[in-house]
Amino acid sequence: MRDPALEALLARRGTVKQIAAALGITTAAVSQWNRVPEDRVSEIAKALNLAPESLRPDLAPSPQTQGLPRMVARPVLRRRRRTKIIATLGPASSSAEMIERLHRAGADIFRLNFSHGSHEDHAARIATIRAVEARVGRPIGILADVQGPKLRVGRFQAGRVQLRSGQSFKLDLNPTPGDARRVNLPHQEIIAAAQIGTTLLLDDGKLRLRVTHKRPDHLESQVVVGGPLSDRKGVNVPDVSLPIPALTEKDRADLAFLLDQGVEYIGLSFVQRPEDVAEAKEIAAGRAWIMVKLEKPQALENLDAIMALTDCVMVARGDLGVELPPEEVPLAQKRIVRTARALGKPVVVATQMLESMITAPSPTRAEVSDVGTAVFDGADAVMLSAETAAGQYPYEAVNMMDRIVARVEQDPDWRRLTDAARPLPEHSSAGAIATAARQVAETIEAEVIATFSSTGSTTLRVARERPHCPILGLTTSAGVARRMALIWGVHSLQVHEIHSMTEMVARATRAAQHEGFAKSGDEVVVTAGVPFGTPGTTNALRVAIVK
């Protein structure tokens, strides 16, 4: 339904032609508007000698802002780096003030961990993020990790025991509190799948057991590496593919809640097989992108099949580092990042990146190098977990991450390695257009590549190319704009619908100028899928000059 203010305006003789001439677009494009685009209000008002609020009454100043200049655009919050930052929210970072501070310091995406907190707690945080987003005027994405099946031992009579290397220790289905000789293992699947010689890791790998005997209701083991073991500590079984689905009943309830809340990314834990991804994607039905957390050796064995199904991936080095030999983790990280880049799917490197900043205001030099390595590898984003969720210095951690990433990307070797690692073009017209957009932009030294995309696919294809100039991701969908906040090199922006190539070029150059990427006389490369609004098409390329 057309906005009444626009309806009255277009009813005046000659107005459509005046607007088209002032904006450099066709009269047909103007006639298809439902209301005056927000980013063109000032220009149209000037051309028609009208007050801006008469064109868009919904943008008129509220009583609280009377006396302030009208229709003034907010300062643009623009990152000076390509790699994005994810910050996990928790007790240390739940207030609106802290969330806004973290965003302004560099957090592009906020993560919610559904291993902790109620739906009410998370709903309040989501509402706070959306309020901060409206206040700062930039799209902010939300990643929500569902817990997945948590494998844990039961409880002990004294709450804690000491296991000695070489001793025998039984894990059984008996729910009675355990002692130094046995404990409940409430997971029949582990007992059924384990074999003689299977390794069991307890408490994040601090304790190591080897199965010596197997019975239908228990496992006998020998303690290889002993230590203290307390109630409800986790169990990892790196040698075995467990017949346990990635989604529990709790996860399904959490998924339903999250999809109703409209979050952009769902983090899927405990993935072992492609079927785990397919199930989650079927439930999501496109309402959120599925981010597979690669934390099981079995997932690496099925990496290509999992990557073909998922929307994006996370190198979850915490659990992966427990189940893999430590020396294998860096190689797994590089393999996952390389595979994701070849497919043009966003990849996040996570866990223990600035771990010491949980309790210290500055990181170790090794941690700084770790973040730098992820940037050199070509990750789309790096993530902070406990550093911002429960640490003493959440703001300092985000600020430090921002500084490290920005500094690495200024190094000539970073650009050289990024170019050298660029995957071969996709064998499709859409892939060819994305490659051409990058090549043209570099040849003419364009200030920015502007992409129009209803789903984000065009923007993903251009980001896969890792161009030298920034990417201005334009979309009509608020959800897609938030998703693109995670993608390497993309400054996302929600715009009104367009109906012609002429209007697309005019909108792109104006947005590039307004967002601070280009000035009058600069060149902008514009790419999109035509017809507009058709998902999956990337078939148009233009070069435009900002006027």
Side-chain angles (χ1 to χ4, degrees):
M1 182 176 176
R2 181 171 282 171
D3 178 64
L6 178 61
E7 191 75 51
L9 182 67
L10 298 187
R12 295 165 49 182
R13 175 175 290 185
T15 299
V16 173
K17 289 184 178 179
Q18 280 184 273
I19 294 174
L23 303 185
I25 62 177
T26 64
T27 56
V30 175
S31 298
Q32 293 182 55
W33 283 349
N34 289 321
R35 61 171 156 178
V36 176
E38 181 176 347
D39 60 348
R40 312 306 290 267
V41 169
S42 297
E43 191 172 355
I44 296 171
K46 183 178 179 181
L48 300 178
N49 196 27
L50 297 171
E53 60 266 30
S54 69
L55 304 179
R56 285 289 298 271
D58 58 310
L59 298 179
S62 64
Q64 291 79 14
T65 60
Q66 291 292 343
L68 296 176
R70 296 176 297 183
M71 313 297 283
V72 175
R74 287 168 289 201
V76 174
L77 180 60
R78 178 185 162 193
R79 307 296 190 206
R80 302 293 171 176
R81 51 174 164 76
R82 314 299 172 82
T83 307
K84 304 302 181 70
I85 295 173
I86 302 174
T88 304
L89 298 183
S93 51
S94 291
S95 69
E97 294 77 14
M98 179 56 75
I99 290 173
E100 182 168 344
R101 284 192 75 201
L102 296 183
H103 176 65
R104 292 188 181 279
D108 303 288
I109 300 281
F110 287 110
R111 171 176 172 258
L112 307 177
N113 186 352
F114 271 67
S115 296
H116 311 284
S118 65
H119 284 184
E120 291 73 20
D121 295 335
H122 290 299
R125 284 179 182 152
I126 291 170
T128 301
I129 294 168
R130 298 303 188 217
V132 169
E133 177 185 69
R135 192 155 53 247
V136 300
R138 293 291 307 131
I140 302 174
I142 298 175
L143 161 65
D145 278 7
V146 295
Q147 179 174 291
K150 282 298 182 183
L151 308 178
R152 301 181 184 275
V153 298
R155 300 186 181 277
F156 294 94
Q157 295 173 8
R160 179 187 180 95
V161 297
Q162 183 75 27
L163 300 186
R164 294 175 290 101
S165 298
Q167 77 166 83
S168 296
F169 191 69
K170 181 193 290 188
L171 301 106
D172 57 39
L173 298 176
N174 183 354
T176 305
D179 53 30
R181 295 171 298 175
R182 61 155 294 276
V183 73
N184 176 225
L185 180 64
H187 304 287
Q188 174 66 52
E189 301 91 344
I190 295 180
I191 295 175
Q195 302 295 327
I196 306 303
T198 293
T199 297
L200 304 177
L201 302 176
L202 308 181
D203 193 9
D204 290 335
K206 297 182 180 69
L207 289 80
R208 181 181 295 265
L209 314 181
R210 184 176 62 250
V211 175
T212 55
H213 296 88
K214 174 182 175 178
R215 298 290 184 271
D217 63 346
H218 74 270
L219 298 173
E220 292 281 355
S221 72
Q222 182 181 37
V223 178
V224 179
V225 178
L229 180 64
S230 55
D231 293 345
R232 306 288 297 156
K233 288 300 182 182
V235 181
N236 293 84
V237 193
D239 303 339
V240 176
S241 179
L242 297 174
I244 299 175
L247 291 174
T248 65
E249 289 305 313
K250 176 186 183 305
D251 296 333
R252 292 175 184 278
D254 289 342
L255 266 174
F257 165 78
L258 288 166
L259 293 171
D260 286 343
Q261 289 285 321
V263 304
E264 287 68 50
Y265 292 92
I266 303 290
L268 191 62
S269 302
F270 204 81
V271 170
Q272 300 182 93
R273 300 167 290 268
E275 294 80 5
D276 298 330
V277 188
E279 182 182 9
K281 288 205 70 174
E282 183 178 356
I283 295 171
R287 290 178 287 171
W289 280 1
I290 299 299
M291 180 182 290
V292 165
K293 297 170 63 178
L294 294 172
E295 52 195 352
K296 300 285 292 179
Q298 292 75 24
L300 295 180
E301 294 171 7
N302 297 308
L303 182 62
D304 290 341
I306 288 172
M307 287 295 302
L309 287 174
T310 191
D311 298 304
C312 43
V313 294
M314 177 190 295
V315 189
R317 302 178 307 172
D319 283 309
L320 191 61
V322 170
E323 301 215 3
L324 280 180
E327 66 272 16
E328 295 293 329
V329 175
L331 303 178
Q333 175 176 316
K334 289 183 181 296
R335 178 190 169 198
I336 294 166
V337 172
R338 185 169 58 248
T339 303
R341 279 204 58 191
L343 294 173
K345 297 188 176 184
V347 54
V348 178
V349 175
T351 322
Q352 300 171 338
M353 302 216 77
L354 298 178
E355 185 91 348
S356 65
M357 291 194 73
I358 295 172
T359 56
S362 59
T364 67
R365 302 305 176 262
E367 289 167 341
V368 172
S369 292
D370 183 36
V371 175
T373 296
V375 177
F376 274 115
D377 284 347
D380 286 78
V382 286
M383 192 175 94
L384 294 164
S385 300
E387 299 95 329
T388 53
Q392 298 176 25
Y393 303 95
Y395 172 81
E396 290 80 0
V398 173
N399 180 261
M400 177 57 68
M401 185 78 90
D402 180 79
R403 288 166 52 193
I404 297 167
V405 173
R407 178 62 188 90
V408 169
E409 292 183 357
Q410 292 171 11
D411 189 85
D413 278 345
W414 169 78
R415 174 42 68 185
R416 181 176 58 80
L417 290 172
T418 299
D419 290 346
R422 182 177 293 120
L424 294 173
E426 295 177 289
H427 295 292
S428 64
S429 59
I433 290 290
T435 300
R438 190 258 307 164
Q439 292 172 335
V440 169
E442 291 174 9
T443 300
I444 67 174
E445 297 184 347
E447 298 299 324
V448 67
I449 298 174
T451 63
F452 279 86
S453 182
S454 60
T455 63
S457 60
T458 297
T459 309
L460 277 171
R461 287 189 178 98
V462 174
R464 178 182 182 270
E465 292 292 314
R466 298 297 194 257
H468 289 208
C469 63
I471 303 166
L472 180 59
L474 306 174
T475 179
T476 58
S477 166
V480 172
R482 292 165 180 155
R483 288 178 190 176
M484 290 195 294
L486 178 72
I487 300 171
W488 187 98
V490 174
H491 179 91
S492 58
L493 191 67
Q494 184 184 7
V495 297
H496 295 289
E497 290 186 11
I498 57 172
H499 305 281
S500 69
M501 286 296 294
T502 303
E503 186 180 358
M504 179 186 78
V505 170
R507 180 69 57 82
T509 54
R510 185 174 179 82
Q513 188 173 29
H514 179 266
E515 298 295 305
F517 291 98
K519 59 185 184 300
S520 180
D522 288 337
E523 290 182 299
V524 175
V525 174
V526 185
T527 184
V530 179
F532 300 111
T534 304
T537 58
T538 307
N539 56 12
L541 178 65
R542 293 285 183 91
V543 176
I545 299 176
V546 178
K547 297 179 179 178

